[in-house]
Each structure stands twice: as structure tokens, then as C-alpha cells.
Amino acid sequence: MVRVPKLNRADAEAALRNPLAFIADRWTPDPRTVRRAALAALVMSVVIVVTGGAVRLTGSGLGCPTWPTCTDDSLTTTRAMGFHGIIEFGNRMLTYVLCAAVGWAIIAARSEKPWRRGLTRLGWAQFWVVMGNAVLGGIVVLVGLNPYTVAAHFLLSTALIAIATVMWQRTREGDEAPRPLVGKAVAQLVWFLVAASALLIAVGTVVTGAGPHAGDSSEVERIPIDWETVSKLHAVLAWIVVTLTFALWFVLKAVDAPKGPLARTRELFVILLCQGAIGYVQYFTHLPEVLVAAHMLGSTVMWIWVLRVLLALRERPEAPRDLPVAPAEVTVGSRA
């Protein structure tokens, strides 16, 4: 059995003053542990989006009609609230799981040796986005699922996924200055792809806000715009993203780019084709809930891979560590 050291008063005071530093002084995680912690935070940021979509698609958005409690008299859901209350309250509880995953990522990054301050900052950035989105989610309920607040809620979740993706990537590379693997023109093309993808996601929230899935069975305000028109705009943007991805793939092969950018671009192209197929099927089948949920999951995966393409355009080797200097040899007969 491993003997657990006893904490004295000084240790307890140090833990209260700076718990992260206290843990870091006593624990050094394996690099794989740090990578897994960052990946867990990324996975949970996707899960919370998908379960939030389930709340909307089951009409459970006001299953808990108030916030931060579930009802005026109860913190949790009650039997009288039925299925919708369970779905909405369950999604709220998943926020704590997300916080735990982000907290683990922060602790692991802070405890790694040597300490990589940039990783810790990315972890804290996720934490504050989660806190901000939790408050915004409460506002969404309090204003009766106003579609503009719902759209902002989703876009903030998209920002969380972006930060989590960057942190996961940073755990798999060093801290040296980034070295580009492609030319400036290729990098600009990728930035166009990122911008078009972000616009595609933003217009997707308008499609949702104007579409038939209001998020609750009661009368809920919708964005006053023709749903089919904005859906067609969304489709046009999707084809622009697909075209940019195919053009990038062609250019990377033409310039004999490294395998990393080529592989990420090829994977993104496949994801976009699958996402487009789901999008067209759900449009012509009048938005069945299962396909809408699959499309939401696909949008998060697409966004992650767009960012992975961007991050694959450079490499960051590990910074050289200071090696111990060997003591000078003393020759026989030398003077002290």
C-alpha cells in the first residue's frame, strides 16, 4: 500500500491559498494524461451541444421553466413535470460534468513539468466560456427561448469547442515558435475556409431560429424570416466550404505538402460530404428530429476538423531543455 503523507497546518494553508500550485508541487502527470484530459474537455464540449439539441428537438426547452432553480419551489425537476423536465434538468446537470472535465484539464496542464503556462490559460479560457454560457443558458430560459439568445448560446458553445480543440492540439506539440509547413498563399486559403465555415455555422443558427423546431411545445417566438430562403443560403455556404476544401486539397497535392495538412484536409472533405448528405435528406424529409440531431453533431465535428486543418499548417517542436554541464576534468599535477 502507498502511504499517504499527513498534511500539517502549513500544507493546509498552502492548499487554501493556491490549490493548483499545491497539487502541482505533489503531482507530475504523464504527458499522455495531459492529452487525455484535454481530449475529455473537447469531447464534453461536443456532448453538451448534442444534448442541448436533444432538449430543443424533444420540446423540452422550458421543461424547467425558471433558472437557476428548476421551478420556483424546487431546485430539481419534479414528477409532475414529466419527461420534459427530466430532459431539461439532465442537460443542466451535464454542465457540471463539463466543468469537471475542464477542471481536470486545468489541473493536469498546471501540474505538467515543465509548466506550460499557455496550456493552463487555454484551460481557464474554457472555464470562463462555460460559466458565461451557463448564465446565457439561464437567460434563454428566462426570456422564453428567444431565438436570438438561443443562437448566441450555440455560438458560444462553438467558441468553447474551438478553444478546446486548440488546447488538445497544443498538448501534442512543443512550445517552440511555430514553423510554417506551407506557403503564405495556402495559409490564406485556409483562413478563407475557416471564415466561410464560421459563417456557415452562424447562418445555421438562423435556420434553426426560423425553423419549426422551436424548442418547446408552447408558443415560442421565431426569427421573422422565410425558413426555406435562409436554408437555401445555408446550402450555398455549405457548397462554398466544400469547394474551398477541395481546392485546398488540390493545391496541397500540387505543392507536395507534408502528410499532416493533406490528411486533415482529406478527412474534412469526407466529413463535409457526409454532413451535406444529411442536410439535404433532412430538408426533403421535413426535418425529422433524428436527422437534425445528426446534423448538429456533424456541425461540431466539421468545425473541429476545420480548425485541425488550420493547426496542421505549422509545427511546433519541443523547446530544448537545458542539459547539465559536465564538470571539468582535473588533470594530474594541476594546481588547486
Side-chain angles (χ1 to χ4, degrees):
M1 294 181 61
V2 178
R3 185 176 180 181
V4 179
K6 295 183 178 180
L7 296 179
N8 54 37
R9 182 169 181 174
D11 290 335
E13 291 176 352
L16 289 175
R17 282 196 306 269
N18 193 333
L20 287 179
F22 179 81
I23 296 172
D25 288 341
R26 290 157 178 79
W27 177 53
T28 300
D30 186 90
R32 289 177 298 179
T33 300
V34 182
R35 289 195 294 269
R36 289 168 182 167
L39 180 59
L42 174 58
V43 170
M44 275 309 305
S45 67
V46 172
V47 169
I48 202 72
V49 170
V50 175
T51 56
V55 171
R56 166 177 286 276
L57 295 171
T58 57
S60 305
L62 296 177
C64 287
T66 188
W67 184 86
T69 58
C70 194
T71 69
D72 291 333
D73 303 320
S74 175
L75 177 64
T76 64
T77 184
T78 62
R79 181 176 298 179
M81 301 172 70
F83 173 75
H84 295 306
I86 294 173
I87 294 294
E88 164 63 9
F89 187 73
N91 186 62
R92 292 188 184 187
M93 291 298 98
L94 277 177
T95 303
Y96 294 101
V97 181
L98 173 60
C99 288
V102 172
W104 181 34
I106 293 172
I107 292 171
R110 178 62 182 85
S111 302
E112 189 177 20
K113 309 295 188 302
W115 176 27
R116 301 172 63 185
R117 191 181 298 269
L119 277 185
T120 309
R121 287 174 176 171
L122 287 169
W124 279 111
Q126 290 180 69
F127 174 80
W128 290 116
V129 171
V130 171
M131 293 297 101
N133 216 12
V135 174
L136 182 55
I139 294 173
V140 168
V141 173
L142 295 176
V143 298
L145 303 185
N146 178 281
Y148 299 101
T149 60
V150 173
H153 192 48
F154 182 83
L155 291 176
L156 201 53
S157 297
T158 303
L160 173 64
I161 291 174
I163 299 171
T165 301
V166 174
M167 182 176 183
W168 179 49
Q169 175 65 29
R170 293 289 290 111
T171 62
R172 301 160 67 227
E173 56 189 18
D175 283 329
E176 280 282 272
R179 295 202 299 255
L181 298 176
V182 297
K184 187 175 181 181
V186 177
Q188 289 175 340
L189 178 59
V190 174
W191 276 110
F192 277 120
L193 173 62
V194 173
S197 301
L199 184 59
L200 174 65
I201 293 172
V203 174
T205 64
V206 179
V207 174
T208 302
H213 295 295
D216 194 75
S217 55
S218 61
E219 189 68 23
V220 174
E221 180 186 356
R222 314 304 295 137
I223 296 177
I225 190 172
D226 181 65
W227 174 78
E228 291 195 0
T229 300
V230 74
S231 295
K232 291 175 182 177
L233 173 61
H234 185 64
V236 170
L237 286 170
W239 277 111
I240 290 174
V241 171
V242 171
T243 303
L244 287 171
T245 303
F246 183 77
L248 175 63
W249 189 8
F250 180 81
V251 170
L252 289 173
K253 289 184 72 69
V255 299
D256 196 22
K259 291 183 179 179
L262 263 173
R264 300 295 83 77
T265 303
R266 182 172 58 250
E267 293 160 1
L268 174 61
F269 188 70
V270 173
I271 291 169
L272 287 171
L273 292 180
C274 295
Q275 178 74 339
I278 294 172
Y280 275 108
V281 172
Q282 72 169 0
Y283 177 81
F284 289 113
T285 54
H286 307 291
L287 301 180
E289 286 80 0
V290 173
L291 289 181
V292 175
H295 198 60
M296 288 188 66
L297 173 61
S299 70
T300 61
V301 175
M302 179 211 74
W303 181 233
I304 291 171
W305 249 260
V306 167
L307 296 172
R308 292 195 72 194
V309 170
L310 177 65
L311 295 171
L313 300 183
R314 85 285 187 277
E315 62 178 358
R316 299 186 70 156
E318 290 189 11
R321 299 185 181 183
D322 294 332
L323 299 176
V325 179
E329 296 182 0
V330 180
T331 59
V332 178
S334 60
R335 301 192 176 207

